[in-house]
Amino acid sequence: MQRITVPPETTPPTQGHLRLGDPPDRPDAITVNSRHLSRAGQPWFPVMGEFHYARYPAAEWREELLKVRAGGVTIVAAYVFWNLHEERRGLFDWSGDRDLRRFVTTCAELGLDVVVRIGPWAHGESRNGGFPDWLLAAGCVPRTDDPRYLDLVRPFFAQIGARLRGLTREHGGPVVAVQLENELHDQPGHLLTLKRMARQAGIDAPLWTATGWGHAQLPPDEVIPLFGGYPEAAWDTAHDGWPAQSRAHYFFGPGRDDDSIGADLRTGAASGGDESHLARYPFATCELGGGMYTAYHRRPVVAAADVAALALVKLGSGSVWQGYYMYHGASQKIGELSTLQESHATGYPNDCPVITYDFQAPLGEYGQFRDSYRHLRLQHLWLACDGPDLATMTLTMPPGAPTDPADRAALRWAVRSDGRSGFLFVNNHQPVETLPDHDGVRFAVELDGRSLVVPREPVTVPAGACFAWPLARRVGDCVLLTATAQPVCVIDAGEPVHVFTQTAGIPVELAFDAATVAGVEGPATVTTCGGDVVVSGLRPGPECLLRVTAPGGTARVLVLDHGSALTATRGRLWGADRLVLSDRPAVIDGDHLVVYGNGGAAPGQGDRAPVVSGGKAGGDRAPAGDRVLVFPAPAFATGTHGVFGVLPLPSRAGEPPAVAVETVKQAGPARPPVIDPASGRASAPVDADFDAAAVYRLTIPPDAFTGDDEVLLRLDWTGDVGRAYIGGRLVADQFWHGPPWEIGLRRFREEVLAHGLELRLLPLREDAPVYLSPRFRPPAYPGGAVLELRSATLVPLPRTVITAAAG
């Protein structure tokens, strides 16, 4: 039995000490105390995702922001890269893809808040961290209060302020926060100077933030320190193993800092380890790894389960602001004067691709839906309902909780509670090293004078499981004491419908306080045990709906299998609050339901791991790809599946047209390794090296394009580095790391039809000093190197739009 005692009372948060927030008399005021944020007088739990507007086509912003919103993100964060807007001194460019005002306005139109990360130094794997080259030659000391440097920053801030005029909170706009600098760990006075300068330029917000990792010295009470954590680290060395610091993010605990982030750029070691001063601030994050980029010397692969488990552990550990970097991938620009990626050539320890900044993010470089999108969306659906309560809850760790990040034997769990109710968190997943099954597990939680035991009978927590179970939570007017199911959301369907999902294949058991329940109806076994009404024998799925009555009213409980829950989208649709289950990614846009793909896994979701299922409650039965399930059912539904209405989707189209691939030139000898003397790490090939590349000409047929839908070119290959050119212009590149290389063709349609696409691929040497995931390492290197282009196929991503009129 795993036991824990939750303190009976939570110490009230400290208030009024932070120089942050809206004026208190504002009706929808955003305020912040030492524990959480509030909005309009109620606790507020933001979910933030990074999306770099200037690295994505402006014509597609609205569509992509709808996807971001459908994923449960409520705030969009974006760097304002200085070198993208003032590459030549005094010549600012805010047009096209660089139109910050248009981007922020589009966010506002879709109900999304915005955090502008104004730098001036940003990093983001940008050349000079985002500084223009001319600034570094200007004879100043950047990132300090050197007057010569500040004189250069003022015009940049003035330009940002002009773009944001009328869009700040003061004028009803969406900008809720401003981040100063990035990874500046030893200049608190400079951060204050930047804050003052930003306000003078018209840049203002109720919340000001700064990255706190590396034990950063920040100006007390002036900014909220934001933290991060990644499943992997492309900035680590090429050692053959998992980065040590990443391990800590899969253990519950109060620690916030990760001094490995940015460590490759710090000149000295992080100072101190005491986090006691952080008790003055809420536990907030801005860089939970939505994936990871590939450096030339280190090319990790991040699975969806790695992202989901890390995010859940942060929730269990006390996070009240989930921020993901990146949430949406993008493409680096090529400037007028140079490429704009981080590289050895500009003194950085990591060589990055010239173009791709896909980051293996939940939404990819071309808007692909990744499996991590579904897993995070499931957490965000829950936070949209229970996040305000969770924000007020504090962490309680069980006795004997593991403290050694090498510990793989102990079960990792914790409780967050306000002293009356709470959530029990369990994580049995980490990357690289599989954790063991835990048999015979039961939890005993002493909470508010009750001893809550869950489940009634011991269960196995399998490897890979991560979940949160409710403790003494309200379901309508009833009290749900325990449940072996994770909350998903509450649908307003006349009476509340509380949606849960089965977790880790564990049989679902709901235990209600008998004093609050008059009856339970539905496909279940209901027994009274002591003072509890226990509901068991459930078969989770779209038909598993219970009605729970109480003296004060009635609520319903819908228990989904995990596979179905991972397909869930929620929103206002056709005049009602609805839950949509769709194997194909679905996005709500007003009274339109937009469904992507031809059925089956969407492009980019090839990393799907089998969902844990089984046990007496049955396995996963996700919706078929040729239909969408909607609850409550709309009047125009063509049928029913359980309690859901069925809306048919077009059947899978025929095979897409073939790509003609012509081998123009065979590869020359593999390039010998080149080591950067400053970092000691392998350097990426330069332009001249591609003269020895294998060259292929790819012809894309005109009928590959239908309307303005996306079409992906998927390349299955093995090698070192690949580049794609259209009409002699570099449009995409990849450091090979295992998964197929996908290139979105929609934005290049006219060019690619006119010129075709040229592919240049370099072979990978067996002795290349680079890290590759063991899952993808080539089994053989004929002649000491390997290069193989196995296939080039087109993957259409059509959009089906469902409206009430169409129904």
Side-chain angles (χ1 to χ4, degrees):
M1 182 82 76
Q2 307 281 341
R3 298 183 180 276
I4 196 170
T5 299
V6 177
E9 294 185 4
T10 301
T11 304
T14 304
Q15 305 202 45
H17 61 296
L18 301 176
R19 289 180 279 279
L20 300 165
D22 284 319
D25 57 348
R26 179 172 174 156
D28 62 341
I30 292 175
T31 58
V32 56
N33 59 41
S34 64
R35 185 167 301 146
H36 62 83
L37 298 99
S38 293
R39 194 166 189 168
Q42 299 297 318
W44 174 42
F45 199 121
V47 177
M48 182 171 71
E50 188 89 11
F51 181 17
H52 294 158
Y53 65 95
R55 290 172 167 174
Y56 210 85
E60 300 173 25
W61 285 346
R62 186 179 186 278
E63 179 182 1
E64 298 311 305
L65 288 169
L66 283 168
K67 295 177 185 177
V68 169
R69 187 181 71 178
V73 170
T74 61
I75 299 178
V76 176
Y79 278 129
V80 183
F81 290 108
W82 195 347
N83 58 8
L84 284 175
H85 294 290
E86 194 187 4
E87 188 177 5
R88 297 180 186 272
R89 185 172 180 178
L91 299 177
F92 287 94
D93 186 355
W94 299 95
S95 64
D97 301 345
R98 295 168 169 84
D99 192 342
L100 172 62
R101 184 174 186 83
R102 176 182 170 185
F103 181 77
V104 174
T105 300
T106 305
C107 289
E109 291 169 353
L110 298 178
L112 292 163
D113 293 320
V114 175
V115 172
V116 284
R117 303 177 84 177
I118 63 173
W121 191 84
H123 198 189
E125 286 63 60
S126 182
R127 180 182 177 92
N128 310 322
F131 282 158
D133 284 1
W134 59 260
L135 183 141
L136 300 183
C140 63
V141 184
R143 308 183 74 186
T144 72
D145 277 354
D146 180 348
R148 297 167 297 176
Y149 172 65
L150 298 181
D151 284 345
L152 299 176
V153 171
R154 283 191 184 90
F156 177 52
F157 276 12
Q159 288 278 324
I160 296 173
R163 308 278 87 72
L164 297 179
R165 187 171 296 125
L167 297 176
T168 60
R169 285 275 293 172
E170 180 184 1
H171 299 96
V175 179
V176 297
V178 176
Q179 179 186 300
L180 299 168
E181 264 287 331
N182 185 34
E183 302 176 349
L184 187 64
H185 63 282
D186 60 356
Q187 297 281 332
H190 179 54
L191 291 175
L192 273 181
T193 298
L194 292 176
K195 182 177 179 180
R196 182 179 64 255
M197 291 173 55
R199 281 180 157 162
Q200 290 170 348
I203 307 167
D204 205 358
L207 305 175
W208 293 79
T209 70
T211 53
W213 49 77
H215 309 293
Q217 303 168 41
L218 305 180
D221 301 341
E222 292 281 352
V223 295
I224 301 173
L226 300 184
F227 294 91
Y230 289 88
E232 243 281 3
W235 55 81
D236 205 340
T237 65
H239 67 83
D240 192 8
W242 189 26
Q245 191 64 35
S246 293
R247 295 174 179 271
H249 299 300
Y250 294 88
F251 289 82
F252 298 102
R256 306 183 191 185
D257 202 355
D258 179 347
D259 58 16
S260 73
I261 306 177
D264 55 333
L265 299 178
R266 285 195 294 268
T267 55
S271 59
D274 182 13
E275 294 191 3
S276 59
H277 65 289
L278 297 179
R280 299 179 64 81
Y281 309 95
F283 184 173
T285 63
C286 65
E287 290 199 17
L288 300 181
M292 179 50 58
Y293 71 93
T294 53
Y296 180 73
H297 73 280
R298 189 171 187 88
R299 312 177 191 183
V301 175
V302 177
D306 303 342
V307 173
L310 187 151
L312 192 84
V313 168
K314 295 303 177 185
L315 289 175
S317 297
S319 171
V320 298
W321 181 343
Q322 293 284 91
Y324 301 97
Y325 190 99
M326 297 287 295
Y327 188 80
H328 198 305
S331 303
Q332 300 268 24
K333 296 286 189 187
I334 295 180
E336 293 183 20
L337 305 177
S338 69
T339 61
L340 293 176
Q341 87 282 18
E342 177 179 318
S343 69
H344 290 165
T346 55
Y348 279 71
N350 311 305
D351 255 347
C352 295
V354 174
I355 299 285
T356 185
Y357 200 62
D358 176 81
F359 218 86
Q360 305 174 60
L363 291 167
E365 182 177 9
Y366 303 100
Q368 308 100 306
F369 293 89
R370 298 270 164 64
D371 202 33
S372 54
Y373 178 88
R374 304 184 313 141
H375 285 265
L376 289 179
R377 179 179 59 190
L378 188 57
Q379 295 180 16
H380 301 160
L381 285 170
W382 168 46
L383 290 176
C385 292
D386 287 338
D389 285 350
L390 185 66
T392 67
M393 296 177 178
T394 58
L395 169 68
T396 302
M397 293 293 294
T403 57
D404 181 356
D407 188 333
R408 294 173 56 201
L411 181 62
R412 305 170 191 183
W413 68 288
V415 168
R416 274 185 76 173
S417 172
D418 58 10
R420 299 176 302 279
S421 69
F423 297 94
L424 186 153
F425 291 82
V426 175
N427 175 47
N428 199 33
H429 173 84
Q430 66 180 22
V432 182
E433 301 165 348
T434 301
L435 299 177
D437 293 351
H438 290 270
D439 299 323
V441 174
R442 297 172 77 201
F443 301 94
V445 181
E446 299 294 328
L447 176 63
D448 196 24
R450 295 179 183 268
S451 181
L452 304 179
V453 177
V454 58
R456 300 267 160 176
E457 298 296 330
V459 297
T460 295
V461 175
C466 66
F467 53 81
W469 288 346
L471 299 169
R473 300 289 296 162
R474 285 275 172 183
V475 172
D477 290 326
C478 305
V479 176
L480 179 64
L481 296 174
T482 64
T484 57
Q486 181 168 310
V488 175
C489 62
V490 181
I491 300 294
D492 180 7
E495 57 188 14
V497 180
H498 292 251
V499 183
F500 291 82
T501 177
Q502 186 179 24
T503 57
I506 295 171
V508 175
E509 170 191 281
L510 312 174
F512 293 92
D513 182 348
T516 67
V517 174
V520 179
E521 303 172 31
T525 300
V526 182
T527 59
T528 301
C529 182
D532 300 347
V533 173
V534 180
V535 181
S536 60
L538 296 162
R539 184 173 177 79
E543 65 283 347
C544 188
L545 185 68
L546 309 174
R547 186 179 298 274
V548 185
T549 57
T554 302
R556 288 181 285 173
V557 174
L558 174 64
V559 184
L560 296 174
D561 58 278
H562 195 55
S564 292
L566 284 173
T567 72
T569 301
R570 179 202 176 189
R572 187 80 182 172
L573 181 64
W574 305 317
D577 185 17
R578 299 189 193 273
L579 187 68
V580 177
L581 305 183
S582 174
D583 255 5
R584 307 189 203 179
V587 171
I588 295 173
D589 181 7
D591 269 351
H592 297 79
L593 181 65
V594 183
V595 184
Y596 287 82
N598 281 321
Q605 293 196 142
D607 62 339
R608 275 193 189 182
V611 178
V612 177
S613 62
K616 296 179 181 178
D620 291 318
R621 302 180 306 285
D626 61 353
R627 62 184 180 176
V628 169
L629 305 184
V630 182
F631 175 83
F636 56 88
T638 61
T640 60
H641 180 88
V643 299
F644 286 75
V646 175
L647 302 178
L649 293 172
S651 59
R652 181 185 294 272
E655 290 297 317
V659 179
V661 180
E662 174 191 358
T663 302
V664 177
K665 175 186 167 186
Q666 297 291 338
R671 162 185 175 267
V674 175
I675 304 300
D676 172 48
S679 67
R681 298 174 178 181
S683 294
V686 296
D687 292 351
D689 293 316
F690 284 86
D691 292 341
V695 180
Y696 304 88
R697 178 175 174 80
L698 279 60
T699 302
I700 311 298
D703 58 347
F705 297 95
T706 304
D708 62 350
D709 291 336
E710 183 63 274
V711 179
L712 298 174
L713 172 65
R714 180 175 290 169
L715 303 169
D716 183 13
W717 74 293
T718 301
D720 186 21
V721 179
R723 288 186 175 182
Y725 299 83
I726 299 177
R729 178 169 70 95
L730 179 65
V731 297
D733 58 348
Q734 187 193 53
F735 296 161
W736 180 81
H737 60 290
W741 178 12
E742 293 180 340
I743 303 173
L745 298 180
R746 172 171 58 178
R747 66 190 65 169
F748 309 118
R749 174 176 176 161
E750 301 306 322
E751 294 173 88
V752 79
L753 290 178
H755 303 288
L757 185 143
E758 181 183 275
L759 198 63
R760 290 179 173 260
L761 305 179
L762 291 174
L764 176 68
R765 286 174 60 116
E766 186 171 13
D767 61 352
V770 302
Y771 168 81
L772 295 168
S773 168
R775 175 180 165 196
F776 291 105
R777 289 174 187 168
Y781 295 80
V786 61
L787 176 62
E788 182 181 11
L789 176 61
R790 289 177 289 276
S791 65
T793 55
L794 296 176
V795 182
L797 196 58
R799 290 169 287 185
T800 300
V801 180
I802 303 174
T803 66

